Amino acid sequence: MAVTDPLDLTAQAVETIQVKGFERDATRVLALCERYATDRVLCGLPLNMDGSAGFQAERSRAFGDFLAQKGLQIRYQDERLSTRQARGVLLEADVSAKSLTVTATNLEMTLEQRLNCDTGEDDALVVNAVLFAAMLKKLPGESVTLHRKDGCAALLVESGDAAYSIPALERKGFPHTEVAFPDDTVKVSGVPSMVRHSSFAVSARNQNPLLKCINLKFTRDGLVAVGSDGIRLVSTKGDSKSTGDIALLVPAASLNTLARLCSDKDEFHVGTTDKSIVFRKPNLTFTARIVEEEYVDTDRIISSLSNAFTVLTDVAELKRALSCVAAATNADGRVRMSFDGMKLTLFATGAYGAANTSIEVTPLTGAPSGSFWYVGKSLFDCFRALSGTATLGVAQNGMLT
């Protein structure tokens, strides 16, 4: 829990509430609201990268709705862009280039964005990234004026009739981030889709660095992205024109950040230098650290799977069915999938009751039959990356493919 300042610019931590159930948790939230004389609550929604709601987002919204019944004003905040990045952002004004270069880094990744601007002098300073971004969101208009007086330790940020002052530091304390762009590069597009279809299977909590990475494989048939948390394994095709003969392990968190900064139409020149992978397009350079470890032979694992049967299903119907039964369990709860010819039944039970629903499927190979249990969140993550129709198969030991 945190409380904002009167201007809603920053938030100060108040306490951590141990989750014990909606009623008890709500009682503590109401007590804090009374202490700070407010009835407004901002609930974070950890949406998936495509904007869809997974288990955690549904639970967050359900708790928010519960608080609303207690008389609180609830507002939801998309948390997809909340990442642990560097606290400081470097602003460099260049008179000759008529540009403002904005650089941010957390030493795992570095982002450099060049913007057109009118400036009368060269300057470089560092400001708090979170506070600066909050100020820009509050300012009206489409343009902003940045001004610092000689010897002043503050930057004036103005737009329209509004103005903010933010503390500024000299450049010397900012990490050195200059990266030489490699000569040997390949063109890559479709980054957001590739990352969205592979990063969900990567572990964010496991201490093994391999399970926090996406394996980018440049092959003669194009780019392939592979992710795994030791339980799930996904292999997705990227840009077919991005050919090569190299595999690179890149932290999924870094690639997720890049995916939020571009669209599938954006084309990058991609290369490696020293221990980093570099993505560059006009006015934007992004670098990420390469993890120097040997990845598991996923091709061998995938080729060893043999399905006992396969069925064809409509992904939208499958997602709706899973959402229906998910209401009865929590994020780590299990969901049973029972196959019986042309029918697939989903079932879940938990502290909130039990739910089941069925959808029609089309058998393709084998005789679809049997019941299998899976972690609900894992199913949700897998299916949200799909669209249209999909082929589901059950292999050895109930492995869903």
Side-chain angles (χ1 to χ4, degrees):
M1 293 291 295
V3 62
T4 68
D5 59 37
L7 294 177
D8 288 344
L9 285 178
T10 61
Q12 293 77 42
V14 174
E15 69 175 63
T16 299
I17 299 176
Q18 299 297 326
V19 177
K20 297 179 180 178
F22 278 10
E23 190 65 49
R24 296 182 64 177
D25 296 345
T27 299
R28 186 56 190 154
V29 172
L30 287 167
L32 291 172
C33 287
E34 183 178 357
R35 179 196 300 179
Y36 291 98
T38 184
D39 64 352
R40 296 184 301 157
V41 176
L42 180 68
C43 290
L45 279 183
L47 297 174
N48 299 318
M49 286 182 58
D50 61 358
S52 62
F55 269 101
Q56 295 294 356
E58 293 290 354
R59 291 287 292 154
S60 181
R61 186 175 292 279
F63 184 58
D65 293 345
F66 188 79
L67 291 176
Q69 296 174 13
K70 301 292 185 179
L72 297 178
Q73 298 182 43
I74 306 300
R75 186 160 62 89
Y76 297 96
Q77 175 64 45
D78 182 354
E79 289 187 328
R80 282 176 293 174
L81 301 184
S82 58
T83 57
R84 294 187 177 184
Q85 298 177 343
R87 292 185 177 181
V89 59
L90 174 65
L91 306 177
E92 297 175 285
D94 188 328
V95 174
S96 61
K98 293 184 178 182
S99 67
L100 175 68
T101 301
V102 182
T103 305
T105 183
N106 64 358
L107 302 183
E108 282 279 335
M109 54 185 167
T110 299
L111 168 67
E112 182 182 285
Q113 176 87 55
R114 180 168 295 182
L115 308 172
N116 295 326
C117 75
D118 294 323
T119 179
E121 59 180 313
D122 293 339
D123 198 2
L125 52 85
V126 179
V127 295
N128 181 284
V130 175
L131 188 57
F132 186 53
M135 289 177 174
L136 293 177
K137 288 182 179 180
K138 293 286 184 179
L139 290 173
E142 297 182 355
S143 62
V144 64
T145 299
L146 308 178
H147 178 66
R148 180 171 72 153
K149 294 182 180 180
D150 292 339
C152 183
L155 176 69
L156 189 63
V157 186
E158 299 177 289
S159 181
D161 296 328
Y164 289 112
S165 178
I166 181 173
L169 301 175
E170 299 302 322
R171 176 182 178 174
K172 62 182 180 180
F174 195 80
H176 179 73
T177 58
E178 184 176 352
V179 177
F181 190 69
D183 296 326
D184 187 12
T185 64
V186 296
K187 294 180 180 180
V188 175
S189 60
V191 169
S193 290
M194 179 188 68
V195 174
R196 183 174 67 251
H197 292 151
S198 57
S199 64
F200 73 86
V202 175
S203 173
R205 300 178 181 178
N206 198 295
Q207 296 302 311
N208 186 339
L210 293 180
L211 301 183
K212 296 181 179 181
C213 293
I214 293 177
N215 190 25
L216 297 180
K217 301 194 297 183
F218 293 86
T219 73
R220 63 182 182 181
D221 297 320
L223 178 59
V224 176
V226 178
S228 175
D229 60 1
I231 299 175
R232 298 172 295 182
L233 171 64
V234 61
S235 177
T236 183
K237 293 182 179 180
D239 194 332
S240 61
K241 299 178 182 178
S242 305
T243 59
D245 186 21
I246 188 174
L248 305 169
L249 275 177
V250 183
S254 299
L255 291 176
N256 276 322
T257 298
L258 175 62
R260 292 192 292 265
L261 299 172
C262 62
S263 69
D264 282 333
K265 294 181 180 180
D266 288 328
E267 186 175 71
F268 289 92
H269 289 268
V270 180
T272 60
T273 175
D274 195 14
K275 297 182 180 180
S276 298
I277 182 171
V278 183
F279 295 79
R280 174 174 286 182
K281 71 184 187 75
N283 297 324
L284 175 65
T285 301
F286 183 90
T287 69
R289 177 179 64 90
I290 295 174
V291 176
E292 297 181 328
E293 298 284 348
E294 186 175 351
Y295 204 65
V296 65
D297 187 353
T298 54
D299 291 337
R300 180 182 60 82
I301 295 176
I302 293 174
S303 63
S304 68
L305 296 175
S306 177
N307 289 319
F309 61 84
T310 59
V311 299
L312 184 68
T313 183
D314 181 84
V315 173
E317 287 189 9
L318 186 58
K319 289 179 181 178
R320 284 194 293 268
L322 184 57
S323 296
C324 177
V325 300
T329 186
N330 55 35
D332 297 320
R334 297 191 305 162
V335 173
R336 186 182 68 197
M337 299 181 68
S338 299
F339 294 87
D340 183 13
M342 299 179 64
K343 184 172 72 172
L344 169 59
T345 302
L346 283 78
F347 169 83
T349 184
Y352 308 104
N356 71 86
T357 187
S358 299
I359 62 173
E360 291 186 359
V361 296
T362 302
L364 296 178
T365 62
S369 63
S371 297
F372 310 91
W373 288 92
Y374 304 98
V375 176
K377 183 179 184 303
S378 296
L379 287 178
F380 226 121
D381 290 341
C382 290
F383 295 150
R384 73 173 175 80
L386 303 175
S387 60
T389 58
T391 299
L392 299 182
V394 176
Q396 304 95 313
N397 301 317
M399 179 72 71
L400 188 66
T401 66

